[in-house]
Amino acid sequence: MAQAVEEWYKQMPIITRSYLTAAVVTTIGCSLEIISPYHLYLNPKLVVKQYQFWRLITNFLYFRKMDLDFMFHMFFLARYCKLLEENSFRGRTADFFYMLLFGASVLTSIVLIGGMIPYLSESFAKIIFLSNSLTFMMVYVWSKQNPFIHMSFLGLFTFTAAYLPWVLLGFSVLVGASAWVDLLGMIAGHAYYFLEDVYPRMTGRRPLRTPSFIKALFADEAVVVARPANVRFAPPPGEEFHRD
């Protein structure tokens, strides 16, 4: 069993493995009171006035208590982050890292700007960790890039992946969780999807081109996919989704 888990962990692509490791270590450290969440949460005043810039990163690493919700988000992080990095971003590690950087920047900006808007500032002030939102962003991007995969929710009904974010949003509302977290992830995910996939097809321009200094950090090997002539690929297999 331990060997199987170790092999599964080693087979993860670099970004997924690094993010999952940092999230698990940070959350366990807080649960054991080795690390204090008060040193991790997003606080604009401390960032600007006391130069605690690490909060811009650490608020994406802490997933609250180690309960069922934590396991659920670790599943999403391990699964959909891995699927994106191995498929849509295969051979483009720098582009995948830039997608996460873009998403984190959008989420942080929304919370900071929302905190300055009357009548909304109180709601945004309660959002001090954006880890769940970033995970939901990855789910949204994956669903947009794989819209026709068939899924099942708890065996109750089936749907295509394009509706996965909305199904999860509805479930969050039903169980009494805050919908803001999921909505922020959907907004950031849609912003990336529009600027990376829709806008370039409309105008021929790609505004989210990965900067060269980020590409220099990752040595990606060229991926060559050979497709035989006159051969049609089969449609993607159905996928079943369970949320306990």
Side-chain angles (χ1 to χ4, degrees), residues 104-117 124 180 183-185 187-188:
S105 301
V106 170
L107 291 171
T108 302
S109 300
I110 292 175
V111 172
L112 295 181
I113 295 174
M116 297 183 291
I117 300 176
F124 280 102
W180 276 107
L183 285 172
L184 290 179
I187 292 172

Side-chain angles (χ1 to χ4, degrees), residues 178-235:
S178 174
W180 276 107
V181 172
D182 294 351
L183 285 172
L184 290 179
M186 293 174 69
I187 292 172
H190 191 76
Y192 178 83
Y193 168 72
F194 178 81
L195 293 174
E196 179 66 13
D197 294 335
V198 178
Y199 186 78
R201 290 198 298 266
M202 295 170 54
T203 64
R205 291 175 290 182
R206 185 185 172 198
L208 292 183
R209 193 176 302 276
T210 304
S212 56
F213 75 90
I214 292 182
K215 288 188 175 182
L217 299 175
F218 303 93
D220 289 324
E221 296 180 359
V223 177
V224 179
V225 180
R227 178 174 178 176
N230 301 322
V231 175
R232 293 184 178 180
F233 289 118

Side-chain angles (χ1 to χ4, degrees), residues 9-22:
Y9 178 77
K10 289 182 178 179
Q11 289 179 354
M12 283 186 176
I14 182 63
I15 300 297
T16 302
R17 185 169 66 246
S18 300
Y19 190 16
L20 180 65
T21 302

Side-chain angles (χ1 to χ4, degrees), residues 13-16 81-87 89-90 93 96:
I14 182 63
I15 300 297
T16 302
C81 187
K82 181 174 181 286
L83 286 173
L84 282 173
E85 190 171 359
E86 286 185 340
N87 296 294
F89 291 90
R90 184 182 179 187
T93 305
F96 183 62

Side-chain angles (χ1 to χ4, degrees), residues 55-128:
R55 294 179 182 272
L56 298 174
I57 299 175
T58 55
N59 81 92
F60 290 100
L61 302 180
Y62 181 50
F63 284 80
R64 308 285 179 140
K65 296 181 296 184
M66 293 191 63
D67 52 10
L68 184 61
D69 185 67
F70 169 76
M71 299 303 298
F72 167 74
H73 282 94
M74 288 302 98
F75 164 78
F76 263 20
L77 177 58
R79 179 168 181 78
Y80 292 101
C81 187
K82 181 174 181 286
L83 286 173
L84 282 173
E85 190 171 359
E86 286 185 340
N87 296 294
S88 301
F89 291 90
R90 184 182 179 187
R92 299 192 296 130
T93 305
D95 293 342
F96 183 62
F97 177 80
Y98 190 55
M99 182 202 78
L100 295 181
L101 183 62
F102 171 82
S105 301
V106 170
L107 291 171
T108 302
S109 300
I110 292 175
V111 172
L112 295 181
I113 295 174
M116 297 183 291
I117 300 176
Y119 306 107
L120 292 178
S121 58
E122 185 175 349
S123 297
F124 280 102
K126 298 178 182 178
I127 304 176
I128 56 178

